[in-house]
Amino acid sequence: MNWILLIIAGLFEVAFATCLGKAKVATGIESTYWYIGFIVCLMVSMGLLLKVTQQLPIGTAYAVWTGIGAVGTVLVGIFIFKEPATFWRLFFIMSLIISIVGLKVVSH
């Protein structure tokens, strides 16, 4: 159950980064809504991370949480913000995914 919560926390990390990107290009009240979304997603993400670190090793949990956020945010950048999907970007994203899976496999 903690691993599922950790994945959800990582997805909320992606959401708060996405909100920041959207707020940057929004204007007026729309920008405010994106910043509110950022704060809500940040609180949920951090709250879930806090909860799972009571059972999972902090180093593993934080690395996985950060990895999910990094991979997800790069993918959001590519698909939503139209950032380039170069070979090397995708190569290093794949290496992050492999590292996250490896941490899950070796954690007790």
Side-chain angles (χ1 to χ4, degrees):
M1 183 63 168
N2 285 311
W3 284 100
I4 292 169
L5 292 177
L6 184 59
I7 290 168
I8 293 169
L11 294 175
F12 271 97
E13 183 186 6
V14 174
F16 77 68
T18 303
C19 287
L20 280 179
K22 289 292 205 173
K24 182 173 123 179
V25 296
T27 58
I29 192 73
E30 183 184 353
S31 177
T32 303
Y33 291 146
W34 284 113
Y35 284 122
I36 291 169
F38 163 76
I39 291 168
V40 170
C41 291
L42 178 66
M43 289 179 4
V44 171
S45 183
M46 292 292 176
L48 289 172
L49 180 62
L50 177 67
K51 180 171 176 38
V52 301
T53 57
Q54 294 171 356
Q55 298 295 321
L56 298 176
I58 184 70
T60 300
Y62 185 75
V64 169
W65 176 78
T66 304
I68 292 169
V71 169
T73 302
V74 168
L75 292 176
V76 165
I78 290 169
F79 291 111
I80 293 178
F81 296 110
K82 306 301 182 206
E83 295 175 358
T86 64
F87 169 80
W88 288 111
R89 280 186 95 185
L90 298 176
F91 173 81
F92 287 116
I93 287 300
M94 289 305 300
S95 69
L96 267 174
I97 293 169
I98 291 167
S99 297
I100 292 167
V101 171
L103 282 171
K104 165 69 172 105
V105 169
V106 300
S107 294
H108 301 286

